[in-house]
Amino acid sequence: LGYQSFARAGLRKLGMDAGARWDAGPVQSMLAQERRVVAYFCLKLLLAPVIESLILLDRVIYLKEQGFPCELIPLFDPTFSPRNFVLVAAKVGGRIGDPACPETAGTTREGR
């Protein structure tokens, strides 16, 4: 199936004029780039999970360097989605009255 047949079938399916004329020059120049586009998307599909994992690990390292206990926890089966990790961190040793610190929530400096 050539591109023209494919495009005309798509136009018919959308209820548009399938007999419309177009300039074949720009279409052919774009079709000539098909190999580059396919190569780009293949690289993207291969490298995206690796880069996303590196970003998550970088965040874990940063949080641990700042003194926060943290973990990467898989939430569900990775065959459902490769983005199955959640980064869980806890704030410990907060300031008095800091709402993020449960052991001191609701207290003030004056109350101590």
Side-chain angles (χ1 to χ4, degrees), residues 8-76:
R8 291 191 194 287
L11 288 171
R12 272 192 298 276
K13 192 170 190 169
L14 292 172
M16 299 175 75
D17 180 18
R21 301 184 73 198
W22 65 77
D23 186 7
V27 172
Q28 291 303 321
S29 68
M30 285 187 264
L31 289 174
Q33 302 293 323
E34 181 181 15
R35 286 180 167 260
R36 285 183 166 175
V37 172
V38 169
Y40 168 77
F41 279 106
C42 286
L43 281 173
K44 180 181 168 186
L45 287 173
L46 288 171
L47 296 177
V50 175
I51 292 169
E52 289 174 6
S53 296
L54 287 173
I55 291 169
L56 281 173
L57 290 173
D58 181 60
R59 290 177 179 170
V60 167
I61 291 169
Y62 173 78
L63 288 171
K64 287 191 177 202
E65 285 174 348
Q66 300 302 313
F68 294 98
C70 58
E71 283 187 60
L72 279 177
I73 301 172
L75 285 182
F76 47 82

Side-chain angles (χ1 to χ4, degrees), residues 77-96:
D77 185 12
T79 57
F80 178 67
S81 172
R83 294 180 178 148
N84 66 325
F85 285 98
V86 63
L87 173 57
V88 178
K91 183 174 182 180
V92 293
R95 295 185 302 267
I96 295 175

